Amino acid sequence: MTLLSFALQSVVARPRSWVVALLALGSALLLALGLAMVAGISEGTQRSVIESGAGHFLVYNSQSSEKAVVVTGPTGAPVLVPLPDYPSLETRLRQTPGVQDVVPLEVGMAATFRGNYLDDKLSTARAVARQLPSPERNARLMRLATDLERTLRDVARDADRQTEAFLTADEARMDRAALAETTKPDFWERFRAEPLVALEYLENHVARQVGEGESIDIEYLGSDLTQFARAFPRFEMVTGSLPPEGHRGLLLGHGLYEQRFKLPVAARLDELKRELDRGALLAEDERLRTLVERAQAELPDLLARVDAERSEAARAVLERVLGHEGEPEALWREFLKLEDGNFATRHQVFYAELAPLLPLYRVKPGDTVVLKGLDSLVNGVPLKVWGTYRFRGLGGDTSRVNTLSLMDLVSARYLSGRLSPDMVEEAKRDAQSLGLDFLAEAEVDQLKPATVVEVETVPTRTTNIPDFPRARAWPDTFSATELRGGSVLQAAVVVAPDADPVRVAEVVVQQGTSASVPLATVDWEAAGGFISGVVGMTRVVLLAFSVMLCLFVVLVSAGTLLLLAQERVGEVGTMRAVGMQRRDVFGSLLMEGLLLGGLGAGVGMALSALLLFGSMGDGILVTDEALQFFMGGPVLMPRLSWGQGLGVWLGVVAVVVVASLVPAWRGSAVPPAVAMRKRED
Amino acid sequence: MQTSIRRLAVMFALSLAPLAPAAPKEEKAAEPKAAESKAAVSAEEVIRRVDARMALKSDFKSTVRLREKRKDGTEALLEMLVFRRDSSKDLLIYITKPRNMAGGGYLRIGRNLWEYDPSVGHWQRTTSRGNIVNTISCEEDFDRSHLLETYEVQDEGEETAAGTKFRKLFLKVRPGMEASFPQLRVWVDPDYNIVKRVGYAPSGRTLRTDVIRGYQKILDPAAENRPVYLMREVLEVEEAEGTQLTVRYDEVELAPLSPNIFTKTWLEGRFR
């Protein structure tokens, strides 16, 4: 008690020692707030991952070489062994206490390819040309021919501006000649007489000259879509509708739809608007000015995709807005000269009056896209796009989770290369009948002269070319057995609100073991892959920050206390001279550190509690859509439990006490005689 | 002593030469000269002869069958008709098996490579010299041999196996040329048949090893019945995934093909 009162008097008498208390206060405040933020992010990301397809945990076959995920990383989808007898397993899982829903899942990557704008136009013309002749078909074909003629004139005019770096002189000359051919009236006469022949010429000799088109990567989750929508309440359709039960189909993530399927000019305007809404200025931001330039660079593509009638309507709008007449391209170019002063008006005019005249999206609900798996043994899987969806509250169109697309499980299975039992049977039968065998591994490295067989060929014209009945190779529907009876790689388990997910996962694995079913589970953090890694990363950052802060506190506190101890050498000498023991002096100086640390950290904790439960009680608004997924929605709720608060307080006090050890030791180690002499000095 | 015996042997052989039956002129050109020292033939010349032995003047049609087995046990069998006209560099691959892909194919016209999906009547321009139907085979496997045009050749000497000397050559793609394998190593037998080839990435990583198990000798009617040596069966092993593919070229026909075959309209019209 004496020590405490002695330490208290020293603290009050020396305001310089309050620096240590202030350091403790600041550290406790920062650490408590940081911890609360990380806990809030962790909880938010957990909620987001769970509610956007992962469930509370994933079940997969424990014999797999990799673990189940719902978000693929750079290495792609994991290699998983299918779950044995999924229909029975699902029934058993549903009967497990605490399980609310079980959703079969499959993750994968696919790509859809788009031609350039000429490819698209020619493809439309080809479809019309192949229809049975009728006055309507002929009239439409003529309209398309007129539009093509206009587009090709523009291509010919631009051809000289295009780089020919990748062409040999001969190739470039041939390209120019091919383009020149299309500007002659004779060509269009021939087009009218034999459209398919003329189209073939355009496709092979001209279309390539305007670019290669593009490939759009699609990260997807295969599932029972009806059940998926029911199990994950954040799921909401934005356009179109859910495929009816038993129908194959694709739901594009609305984020992906806006970023990759939208007309590039419109996508650039959206990006600019987002940035300007955040307070950026075109005049001050070079990146934004580059976006404006890129929007202008996309102009030839935009103009070529608009037909003649709509182009004229757009021209009328542009003339009215710009206040003068002109050619469409020049008007568009002027319209897209965007500045801070005119952006808002032009953006509004674009969406209100021009966008309805443009093919704003390359794919619309109801269209069919052909998806190719990155490594599957099927060439392409045609899928109807039923609409676009997003996860409500998990960020808008820039959120990573809203770029994830959904498709039915049957199509996902084909895309991954896992063929149906019928297809496997067909392959076996054909291989047997054709007598094709594989090479023994030992033979690969052997060298031996080639065997040559003499073959007689019959020099006659080939006649045995098969025809095929015109039937859809990919049916639009599938049976319930086909959906669940085929291989299922993993399933998301949603746990009831009052159940403990960890306990339920343990029970699921135990039940699997007792039934000799090899089951394993992964929690939301593993399921979220590298997205959940953000939580781990914030934890690491907080830890690193804490370590650096502690080091700083130790150094400054030790320095301050050492200085104070130096000042008190004479005082210590007097006390030692009147009989105070060295350990009492040591204890007194240590108590001083403890007092400063305890008080400072206490006030810091009180302040952080005030901030957390007072001003941040309703959470922190997160306006950046890309961050909303990690915060679990548009509001981040920092969390700090009593236990965590106590931990921070104790930690800070411990750091200050550690910092006090050296000064206390040095201060108490001075012999009384030396200390007295020092006082006399 | 040895020198005089060799000289005698040569003189004896020369004296018997007029008695040998006269072989067709073209055949002679195609067959390697037994007495010719392989080492004396330059690396470029070896590759030129390899290309020449496979060069066609006639149009080409073959039924090609592929059986692929992946590491995970997945198997696929594909059957396709390959039509080729080397004079105009046209190529058509028309898939006939399995059923879900039948009617689809690849069409190359000039610098365009098109892929056709019959289920949606969709043509897709593809420029990559990538895989055919997602197997480990590529367009080059079905095209004419144009190694000398595509690659620069380095001689790596000879390798002897089971008493036969194989010429080993390293090929590196010429600047500006496109190839599925930027680097190749080939082993050529004494009759100028490639018996093994290994494709490498630019980094030197092995991509695919092919063992050519057999050739077929066919007379080319458009070249005065000159014999050509076309591959009959090739075994391809992809290094990274351990995928194995057997490719067999059956029912080869060297006869004029209708020019209509190399059009989109022809492939679209194969449906009844």
Side-chain angles (χ1 to χ4, degrees), chain A residues 393-412:
Chain A
L394 296 188
D397 300 335
T398 51
S399 165
R400 168 76 163 70
V401 73
N402 286 338
T403 60
L404 191 68
S405 297
L406 292 173
M407 72 172 69
D408 66 280
L409 200 55
V410 176
S411 304

Side-chain angles (χ1 to χ4, degrees), chain A residues 200 204 375-376 439 453 467, chain B residues 70 112 134 217 264 270:
Chain A
E200 193 113 27
N204 291 318
D375 191 33
S376 65
L439 178 69
V453 289
D467 288 340
Chain B
R70 303 198 172 193
N112 302 274
N134 272 347
K217 179 182 172 187
K264 286 180 168 182
R270 299 312 302 167

Side-chain angles (χ1 to χ4, degrees), chain A residues 243-265:
Chain A
E245 273 195 67
H247 277 69
R248 293 175 56 244
L250 176 70
L251 294 176
L252 290 169
H254 198 73
L256 181 77
Y257 193 57
E258 288 290 313
Q259 289 169 31
R260 301 299 308 274
F261 286 87
K262 202 170 191 176
L263 203 64
V265 170

Side-chain angles (χ1 to χ4, degrees), chain A residues 566-577:
Chain A
Q566 292 281 351
E567 283 177 5
R568 292 169 59 192
V569 166
E571 188 186 327
V572 167
T574 310
M575 287 191 293
R576 291 287 304 276

